[in-house]
Amino acid sequence: MTDWQEIEGGITAPKGFKAVGITAGLKPSKAPDLALIWSETEAIASGVFTTSQVRAACVDYCRQNLQKKASARAILCNAGQANAATGEQGWQDALTCAQVLGEKLNISPDSILLASTGVIGQRIKMDAMIGAIPQLVDQLSEDGGASAAQAIITTDLVTKSIALETTIDGRPVRIGGIAKGSGMIHPNMATMLSFVTCDAAVSTQLWQQMLKRAADKSFNQITVDGDTSTNDSLIALANGQSRTPAITTMDKNGQKLEAMLTAVCQHLAKAIARDGEGATCLIEVQVQGAIDDSSANKIAKTIVGSSLVKSAIFGRDPNWGRIAAAAGRAGVQFNQDDLMIKLGDFLLMERGQPLDFDRQAASNYLKQASQGAYLKEDTVLISVSVGSGSGSGIAWGCDLSYDYVKINAEYTT
Amino acid sequence: MTDWQEIEGGITAPKGFKAVGITAGLKPSKAPDLALIWSETEAIASGVFTTSQVRAACVDYCRQNLQKKASARAILCNAGQANAATGEQGWQDALTCAQVLGEKLNISPDSILLASTGVIGQRIKMDAMIGAIPQLVDQLSEDGGASAAQAIITTDLVTKSIALETTIDGRPVRIGGIAKGSGMIHPNMATMLSFVTCDAAVSTQLWQQMLKRAADKSFNQITVDGDTSTNDSLIALANGQSRTPAITTMDKNGQKLEAMLTAVCQHLAKAIARDGEGATCLIEVQVQGAIDDSSANKIAKTIVGSSLVKSAIFGRDPNWGRIAAAAGRAGVQFNQDDLMIKLGDFLLMERGQPLDFDRQAASNYLKQASQGAYLKEDTVLISVSVGSGSGSGIAWGCDLSYDYVKINAEYTT
């Protein structure tokens, strides 16, 4: 089901949303560092957050708020300080941010969600934050999606934004999304933030289920270096301003909406994997024939997360041995005599046995991918089958280059 | 309990064992590539093997044999070809090796265990193997431990051998061990092999339990790049030739034997971690205060396996943020306000809050470690506490250097 089209506008493409990104002076640089996303009406809100035991204040704040009431009017996101490992004072700062913004927007702080990205162990620069909030609100705009996308990035090489449109009962329905993340490369910079806006009318419970499933097929299936951050957050708002009939079950319309939500999340997740520091290509691993989807996803993620597979692809080496070894250690049962491995169109292994193949041509296939970095053509496709089961899964990652070690070895806190 | 002393002789230090390593012409180079370990009497045999779904023929062969009868007279190990992903023919080759060696030694093939290391997808060069077996047996020697240690290595920079001696009821009891492995760096080379000999008299069941626990505290707690191999094997023989009373329970003597067995395994495991390709130092992570030991081991292994921690240490960067983030994502519950992190003697974080510390002095501590590579002084110690629980654990790894990526990117199958 891909009966949607890409449109302009990112998170402000859906009806009834405004956004803005400004320079509040939180980052050492003069780059934009404060973003606001606003819905003209109370929107259904759902979130997926880091599972780390070491969490930022904003993550605990959002969890509490969404448990109280699964709706919101605004998302405030700062870059520069992660406000993680900042203890009770960091928690108070989060409350203050919501308080001050709520007064300026003339809404309850309960209707505000928070996100932070930046240096772990540093509190938000509260003077700059509070001083910037009036200007932030005044500059909210229906064309502000791009500036918000700019203001949430940290080490990202590119901004990440998308908007898709479909029709439900003849009327347009839109989902927009922005994200930041380039692998947890600068170790004290939070990894992954994503904000999604939607103008469909959908029930709270269904929206939460859709977002969880979409995250499992996208953000939860990417790996750059395996390190999960203290601030990871995915927040999705649906405000119903498309004036389409409310979606309350997984009927035709429900499936259409979830498919489009999943496509938005996958686009952003792939953009993050592609932006891994030092990466020259995107790696997509497709696994089939597993007993169930979660087993297939586990194998796919283990392969794409293998340092050996990642560095082989950086070296343009069609190395089936590393792929087979990674599949074998994924913690999923399969019969090694069923193992099939393809790299692009090259069949490297079948029924558990290595095959003769044109090594030079396969290496050229890998070379071409790197030359297309940041284009659709930059994707290296690894296809694996582990049996005759119906389970399938996909995972995305990037190759491991000298620059990864260089940046991480030479970065100093 | 460390009432033992290090002695010479490696695996031939215990009474009643002979060994040898020769050049059979299995490796492309002229380096030794075939080893035999022999006990003059049938020895109790126990093994721990790779959990990978992609396994070498020798692994399945040993598993079958040890299920039939938990005893053996000899271990035959070849380097050069892994005999993994070689299907039915590889299995037949394994049977033939045991058959031919059994005839020459005049023992049943059931009393022979097999191990292989080398290129995945390649069968053993059977002509060279069979041609070399007579010479191999003829050269068995009570001083052959060192030559066997030499013949089982592949990409290792150093051979790995140890022997310890204690007394049980006034009589000497010895355990010797050899290992190969330097991280799954050359991706198609099997990672980790270790063979242990012991002259104590111990019950089969107890010896199996001791070996499993020792492996969990040693080989299962090292990580170089997280990739597990198709051939990983740890095999331990106990032949009773010390003529000491049989150990059948975990009494004082049982505990003494297990402690020494664990020390042998930990020495070899640390030698493998230290030998990780491109490594400049050994990293030891000690975790305390967890709810149980397995939780502590999980956290320790997650920290030492983090690419970010490994590259920070290569960069001599005392980066508590990476350690905290890795601890947080280990999949173990703890309260982040209890988190304490020490690097050597430097306290970096306490009660979940970063502390001021002498960054230059801490960096110098890391610099010193690298200068001691391959010495005892090369160890970087990271101590973590996650609460007031009684669970503790240790894991070992090495830093991540440019050479790791270089070797893996430029290696071509």
Side-chain angles (χ1 to χ4, degrees):
Chain A
M1 271 203 317
T2 61
D3 52 359
W4 56 70
Q5 58 180 359
E6 188 164 346
I7 57 172
E8 295 299 307
I11 51 171
T12 42
K15 282 214 179 67
F17 286 99
K18 293 183 178 179
V20 62
I22 66 169
T23 298
L26 302 172
K27 285 181 183 170
S29 69
K30 289 269 158 295
D33 49 21
L34 188 60
L36 177 62
I37 302 168
W38 177 85
S39 171
E40 64 186 33
T41 56
E42 187 83 3
I44 283 166
S46 178
V48 177
F49 301 96
T50 181
T51 56
S52 175
Q53 297 295 305
V54 180
R55 296 174 311 277
C58 53
V59 169
D60 290 336
Y61 173 90
C62 287
R63 279 222 183 88
Q64 279 193 25
N65 243 359
L66 291 173
Q67 270 161 21
K68 266 186 282 173
K69 69 194 243 299
S71 69
R73 286 289 302 279
I75 303 169
L76 177 69
C77 177
N78 75 283
Q81 300 86 41
N83 198 22
T86 48
E88 174 58 24
Q89 187 55 59
W91 174 252
Q92 290 303 328
D93 292 344
L95 295 181
T96 304
C97 289
Q99 191 64 46
V100 172
L101 179 60
E103 282 162 14
K104 174 69 182 173
L105 286 171
N106 194 25
I107 60 175
S108 157
D110 292 359
S111 289
I112 293 167
L113 298 173
L114 302 173
S116 297
T117 177
V119 182
I120 296 177
Q122 290 191 7
R123 288 175 50 197
I124 297 168
K125 294 181 182 168
M126 290 302 286
D127 294 352
M129 165 68 88
I130 290 165
I133 282 177
Q135 178 200 355
L136 187 73
V137 172
D138 296 343
Q139 293 187 14
L140 273 171
S141 148
E142 289 177 352
D143 312 319
S147 70
Q150 190 68 45
I152 66 171
I153 66 174
T154 53
T155 61
D156 304 49
L157 301 177
V158 295
T159 60
K160 300 159 183 78
S161 177
I162 178 89
L164 299 179
E165 175 180 290
T166 187
T167 58
I168 285 180
D169 296 1
R171 294 178 58 86
V173 167
R174 305 183 176 97
I175 299 180
I178 59 175
K180 67 86 51 175
S182 62
M184 194 164 172
I185 298 310
H186 280 206
N188 289 359
M189 301 297 243
T191 309
M192 201 290 292
L193 295 178
S194 182
F195 308 116
V196 171
T197 57
C198 173
D199 55 18
V202 54
S203 74
T204 305
Q205 199 194 2
L206 210 56
W207 187 240
Q208 287 169 341
Q209 295 166 355
M210 288 179 179
L211 187 69
K212 178 74 180 63
R213 286 192 293 257
D216 284 340
K217 292 182 183 170
S218 57
F219 298 110
N220 289 341
Q221 282 302 105
I222 59 172
T223 174
V224 173
D225 56 22
D227 275 20
T228 302
S229 108
T230 54
N231 290 52
D232 289 348
S233 302
L234 164 63
I235 300 172
L237 306 178
N239 67 2
Q241 293 305 298
S242 64
R243 305 264 177 257
T244 43
I247 296 171
T248 57
T249 65
M250 283 306 290
D251 57 9
K252 192 175 100 296
N253 289 343
Q255 290 171 21
K256 194 186 256 189
L257 187 68
E258 178 167 343
M260 191 162 76
L261 175 63
T262 304
V264 164
C265 291
Q266 288 184 339
H267 173 93
L268 295 171
K270 287 199 261 184
I272 289 169
R274 183 179 278 116
D275 202 4
E277 198 69 55
T280 70
C281 62
L282 178 74
I283 304 172
E284 176 168 315
V285 178
Q286 299 178 353
V287 174
Q288 291 180 327
I291 45 170
D292 53 31
D293 289 354
S294 86
S295 300
N297 278 323
K298 230 168 146 180
I299 295 170
K301 201 168 175 181
T302 305
I303 293 170
V304 86
S306 160
S307 298
L308 291 168
V309 171
K310 289 154 64 74
S311 44
I313 288 173
F314 173 65
R316 312 305 164 205
D317 175 13
N319 194 315
W320 59 268
R322 301 185 184 192
I323 299 168
R329 69 177 172 85
V332 173
Q333 283 254 334
F334 64 86
N335 180 348
Q336 61 179 331
D337 298 334
D338 293 337
L339 190 59
M340 183 283 292
I341 297 173
K342 270 177 77 176
L343 178 68
D345 296 329
F346 299 91
L347 187 61
L348 308 186
M349 187 177 219
E350 201 169 29
R351 288 187 298 285
Q353 309 285 311
L355 302 177
D356 291 330
F357 63 96
D358 184 340
R359 187 166 298 281
Q360 189 51 54
S363 179
N364 290 340
Y365 165 74
L366 293 172
K367 285 200 185 74
Q368 282 157 16
S370 73
Q371 288 153 7
Y374 301 107
L375 306 172
K376 279 222 177 59
E377 296 67 32
D378 72 349
T379 304
V380 167
L381 176 62
I382 297 172
S383 318
V384 171
S385 177
V386 295
S388 53
S390 61
S392 65
I394 306 184
W396 298 273
C398 60
D399 57 342
L400 174 60
S401 71
Y402 298 118
D403 287 352
Y404 177 89
V405 178
K406 188 163 194 286
I407 289 156
N408 284 289
E410 294 176 2
Y411 175 89
T412 304
T413 45
Chain B
M1 272 200 317
T2 60
D3 52 357
W4 56 70
Q5 57 180 357
E6 188 164 345
I7 57 172
E8 295 299 308
I11 50 170
T12 44
K15 283 214 180 67
F17 285 99
K18 294 183 178 178
V20 63
I22 66 170
T23 298
L26 302 172
K27 284 180 182 171
S29 70
K30 290 268 158 295
D33 49 20
L34 188 61
L36 177 62
I37 303 167
W38 176 86
S39 171
E40 64 186 33
T41 56
E42 186 85 4
I44 283 165
S46 177
V48 178
F49 301 95
T50 181
T51 56
S52 175
Q53 296 296 306
V54 180
R55 295 174 312 278
C58 52
V59 169
D60 291 335
Y61 172 90
C62 287
R63 278 222 184 89
Q64 279 192 22
N65 244 359
L66 291 173
Q67 270 161 20
K68 263 187 283 174
K69 69 195 243 296
S71 69
R73 286 289 302 278
I75 303 170
L76 177 69
C77 177
N78 75 283
Q81 300 85 40
N83 198 21
T86 47
E88 174 57 26
Q89 187 54 58
W91 175 252
Q92 291 303 329
D93 291 344
L95 295 180
T96 304
C97 290
Q99 190 64 45
V100 173
L101 179 61
E103 283 161 15
K104 175 68 182 171
L105 286 171
N106 193 23
I107 61 175
S108 156
D110 291 359
S111 289
I112 292 167
L113 298 173
L114 302 173
S116 298
T117 176
V119 182
I120 296 179
Q122 289 191 8
R123 290 175 50 198
I124 298 168
K125 293 180 183 169
M126 290 302 286
D127 293 352
M129 165 68 87
I130 289 166
I133 282 177
Q135 178 200 355
L136 188 72
V137 172
D138 295 344
Q139 293 187 17
L140 274 171
S141 151
E142 289 177 350
D143 313 318
S147 69
Q150 190 68 44
I152 64 171
I153 66 174
T154 53
T155 62
D156 304 52
L157 301 176
V158 295
T159 60
K160 299 158 184 79
S161 176
I162 178 88
L164 299 179
E165 175 179 291
T166 187
T167 58
I168 285 180
D169 296 359
R171 293 180 59 86
V173 167
R174 305 185 175 96
I175 300 180
I178 58 175
K180 66 88 47 174
S182 62
M184 194 162 171
I185 297 308
H186 279 207
N188 290 359
M189 301 298 242
T191 308
M192 202 290 292
L193 295 178
S194 182
F195 308 117
V196 172
T197 57
C198 173
D199 56 17
V202 55
S203 75
T204 304
Q205 198 193 5
L206 211 55
W207 187 239
Q208 287 169 339
Q209 296 166 355
M210 288 179 179
L211 188 69
K212 177 75 178 65
R213 286 191 294 257
D216 285 339
K217 291 180 181 170
S218 57
F219 298 110
N220 290 341
Q221 282 301 106
I222 58 171
T223 173
V224 173
D225 56 21
D227 276 20
T228 304
S229 108
T230 53
N231 291 51
D232 288 349
S233 303
L234 163 63
I235 300 173
L237 305 178
N239 68 2
Q241 292 306 298
S242 63
R243 303 271 178 253
T244 44
I247 298 171
T248 57
T249 64
M250 283 306 290
D251 57 9
K252 193 175 97 298
N253 290 341
Q255 291 171 21
K256 195 186 256 190
L257 188 69
E258 177 167 343
M260 191 163 76
L261 175 64
T262 304
V264 165
C265 291
Q266 288 184 339
H267 173 92
L268 295 171
K270 288 200 259 184
I272 289 170
R274 183 178 277 115
D275 203 3
E277 198 69 55
T280 69
C281 62
L282 178 74
I283 304 172
E284 175 169 316
V285 178
Q286 299 178 355
V287 174
Q288 291 180 328
I291 45 169
D292 54 33
D293 289 354
S294 85
S295 300
N297 278 324
K298 229 168 146 181
I299 295 170
K301 202 167 175 183
T302 304
I303 293 170
V304 87
S306 160
S307 298
L308 292 168
V309 172
K310 289 154 64 74
S311 43
I313 288 171
F314 172 66
R316 310 309 164 206
D317 176 14
N319 195 317
W320 59 268
R322 300 185 185 193
I323 299 167
R329 68 178 172 81
V332 173
Q333 282 253 334
F334 64 86
N335 180 347
Q336 60 178 330
D337 298 333
D338 294 336
L339 190 60
M340 183 284 292
I341 298 173
K342 270 177 76 178
L343 180 67
D345 296 330
F346 299 91
L347 187 61
L348 308 187
M349 187 177 219
E350 202 170 30
R351 289 187 298 283
Q353 308 286 309
L355 302 176
D356 291 329
F357 63 97
D358 183 339
R359 186 167 297 283
Q360 190 50 55
S363 181
N364 290 340
Y365 166 74
L366 292 173
K367 284 198 184 76
Q368 281 155 19
S370 72
Q371 286 151 8
Y374 301 108
L375 306 171
K376 277 217 177 62
E377 297 65 32
D378 73 349
T379 304
V380 168
L381 177 61
I382 297 172
S383 316
V384 172
S385 177
V386 296
S388 53
S390 62
S392 65
I394 306 184
W396 298 273
C398 60
D399 57 342
L400 174 61
S401 72
Y402 298 116
D403 287 354
Y404 177 89
V405 178
K406 189 164 195 288
I407 289 157
N408 284 291
E410 295 177 2
Y411 175 89
T412 303
T413 45

